[in-house]
Amino acid sequence: MRHTLEAYGYGEIRTPVFEETQLFVRSVGSETDIVQKEMYTFNDRRGRSLTLRPEGTASVVRAYLENHLGREAGVRRFYYLGPMFRYDRPQAGRFREFFQVGAEAIGSGDPEQDIEIIDLLSMLLHDLGLKDLEVEVNSVGHPGCRQAYESELRAALERERGKLCATCGTRIEGNPLRVFDCKNEACRGVMSRLPLLRNHLCDACETHHATVLAGLARLGIPHKENPMIVRGLDYYTRTAFEVHYPPLGAQSALGGGGRYDGLVEACGGPPTPAVGFSAGIERVLFALEQTSAEAPVEPPIVVLPLGDAARVPALELARELRAVAPTAVDLSGRSLKALLRSAGRGGAHVAVILGDKEMTRAEVTVRDLLAGEQETSPRTGVTAAVQALLQRHGGEA
Ligand code: AMP
């Protein structure tokens, strides 16, 4: 993931695991489930209220402002990777501590930046070997579009009040859009009859949205429009999107994001447009488990020392081989048969065997684990021999 993010020119930012509670109340929004029910909040020794971060964007924006990272004109690109905390009901694919990877492009209001962010998320998942992803896109307009729409939505919700859950009943007044986030069956039934924000966009938001859709088509990113995606947060503007992996069932969302043109200003900065995404690492791993795509766990080369005298020389040999590709050393001291079996199961392509016989002759045995063939190579020519073998197998070197 780091490789792909950095290939797009995004640089890592590490923010603290906790922040002042008010940051999340202001940015995520006081009406959201996250702020109302899901935050791990505590007082420090001086009675200040702190919260374990439930998401990454607010912290990035805070750090961006505090460290004057917007000093230079242009777009700043960040990515983060780390634990998030939500007092959610634990279930398959939903944890109270989970990891997210996310990216933020701060400083551009253009639709092409939205296209890049969606491209980046889909490429990130694609590069891991995930296929058949569903990208769903919507526009939530700007606050002006929302104002006109909300009164119409309130009126429609009033008519259905009797069918809504208690929480959604209270949302009608506070923040009616959030009804679209409700998981309750009855509320979901009502949703299909509600007016859609998608049909209330102003001309500028409509053009922005059309440009995003055309750009995704041009880049060959399969996607569909889903007018139900609202990403309820108050500071989201225009583009909102999610990426799903349908075989995961109820928790099929691998990630999502959108444009948040109002957030930097709401956090005390100058008006600054921005767009980003976040994805759940555990969900991505579950998805990988369900495909034939294997999570890359073991390096392609493994060095197998036989006997005590070969152990330190094996470490030395591995240092050299790492110039070709990642290399592990199996120091478990088992029989050759057991070592080879583990190496094959671990997914290595080449085993380099170093035993007493090889040591005295200044040789090694290079074994092609995929073909089950082996040859002897002079110790000095081992990197070339391994490189040639890996190239024959298509690529790591
Ligand atoms: P969100 O920040 O709510 O938009 O979530 C972005 C992604 O993080 C989701 O699509 C999930 O993949 C993942 N995610 C969110 N909440 C959880 C959780 N409680 N446990 C595991 N993954 C989560």
Side-chain angles (χ1 to χ4, degrees):
M1 283 184 164
R2 287 182 194 283
H3 180 84
T4 307
L5 290 156
E6 285 166 16
Y8 275 69
Y10 286 67
E12 183 172 9
I13 184 166
R14 291 191 187 175
T15 66
V17 157
F18 58 79
E19 297 274 355
E20 285 177 6
T21 300
Q22 273 312 308
L23 174 68
F24 301 114
V25 175
R26 260 186 289 132
S27 61
V28 179
S30 55
E31 300 281 331
T32 54
D33 277 359
I34 290 186
V35 168
Q36 288 188 345
K37 310 193 282 214
E38 297 176 0
M39 294 205 303
Y40 281 91
T41 298
F42 59 97
N43 285 341
D44 75 358
R45 286 172 184 272
R46 279 179 40 199
R48 290 169 294 204
S49 180
L50 302 176
T51 292
L52 297 182
R53 60 181 181 192
E55 57 100 49
T57 305
S59 309
V60 173
V61 169
R62 194 229 3 101
Y64 171 88
L65 289 172
E66 222 166 271
N67 298 291
H68 311 290
L69 301 179
R71 227 176 357 222
E72 288 159 38
V75 184
R76 297 297 310 251
R77 294 179 294 263
F78 305 100
Y79 78 84
Y80 59 83
L81 222 159
M84 306 292 160
F85 304 84
R86 292 184 196 172
Y87 196 83
D88 230 335
R89 194 168 62 82
Q91 52 193 290
R94 200 164 274 284
F95 310 104
R96 289 182 172 161
E97 178 177 6
F98 58 99
F99 278 67
Q100 278 188 342
V101 58
E104 318 287 353
I106 305 180
S108 165
D110 295 325
E112 291 76 19
Q113 195 66 58
D114 310 20
I115 300 167
E116 184 189 68
I117 279 285
I118 297 173
D119 178 43
L120 173 53
L121 175 55
S122 52
M123 200 54 85
L124 202 60
L125 299 169
H126 176 269
D127 284 352
L128 292 172
L130 287 175
K131 298 194 181 65
D132 305 321
L133 299 165
E134 287 186 353
V135 178
E136 300 185 350
V137 195
N138 191 25
S139 173
V140 298
H142 79 294
C145 310
R146 243 153 24 216
Q147 237 169 20
Y149 162 74
E150 270 179 12
S151 52
E152 195 177 316
L153 178 62
R154 278 204 181 93
L157 286 169
E158 260 328 321
R159 288 195 293 276
E160 308 267 7
R161 188 183 273 278
K163 302 193 190 77
L164 296 173
C165 73
T167 317
C168 283
T170 64
R171 284 167 169 155
I172 300 179
E173 273 313 304
N175 192 341
L177 254 185
R178 193 110 330 109
V179 170
F180 286 99
D181 284 338
C182 190
K183 305 281 181 291
N184 185 295
E185 276 304 315
C187 298
R188 299 202 79 88
V190 170
M191 271 177 224
S192 57
R193 296 192 292 275
L194 296 175
L196 294 171
L197 179 47
R198 175 69 192 82
N199 300 328
H200 289 71
L201 298 182
C202 68
D203 288 348
C205 287
E206 189 67 55
T207 306
H208 185 101
H209 189 51
T211 310
V212 171
L213 294 177
L216 294 177
R218 169 76 187 261
L219 293 187
I221 301 170
H223 61 278
K224 62 179 190 209
E225 285 200 72
N226 178 355
M228 299 289 182
I229 298 176
V230 291
R231 301 198 64 79
L233 322 189
D234 300 349
Y235 299 107
Y236 270 104
T237 47
R238 297 188 162 168
T239 309
F241 61 91
E242 289 176 0
V243 176
H244 290 262
Y245 185 69
L248 288 188
Q251 313 294 337
S252 69
L254 297 186
R259 179 160 278 292
Y260 50 92
D261 289 346
L263 183 56
V264 177
E265 200 175 357
C267 290
T272 311
V275 57
F277 74 76
S278 68
I281 305 262
E282 291 81 3
R283 298 260 180 101
V284 169
L285 291 171
F286 286 137
L288 284 172
E289 274 173 12
Q290 301 214 349
T291 64
S292 54
E294 280 181 28
V297 269
E298 288 295 319
I301 309 173
V302 58
V303 178
L304 308 177
L306 301 176
D308 288 346
R311 292 165 72 83
V312 173
L315 298 178
E316 203 175 18
L317 176 59
R319 274 188 172 181
E320 289 168 39
L321 290 168
R322 286 186 191 113
V324 178
T327 303
V329 183
D330 189 332
L331 291 167
S332 62
R334 293 170 296 163
S335 70
L336 177 60
K337 198 171 151 201
L339 291 174
L340 284 173
R341 198 181 314 129
S342 308
R345 279 205 198 121
H349 291 187
V350 183
V352 180
I353 303 162
L354 194 58
D356 289 340
K357 191 182 75 198
E358 285 91 349
M359 296 267 289
T360 47
R361 294 189 194 156
E363 285 174 356
V364 295
T365 300
V366 177
R367 186 174 174 90
D368 179 341
L369 291 167
L370 301 183
E373 294 160 0
Q374 64 185 46
E375 61 186 28
T376 308
S377 153
R379 172 72 176 76
T380 47
V382 62
T383 41
V386 170
Q387 188 153 29
L389 227 172
L390 283 178
Q391 261 159 10
R392 222 181 303 148
H393 285 312
E396 280 89 346

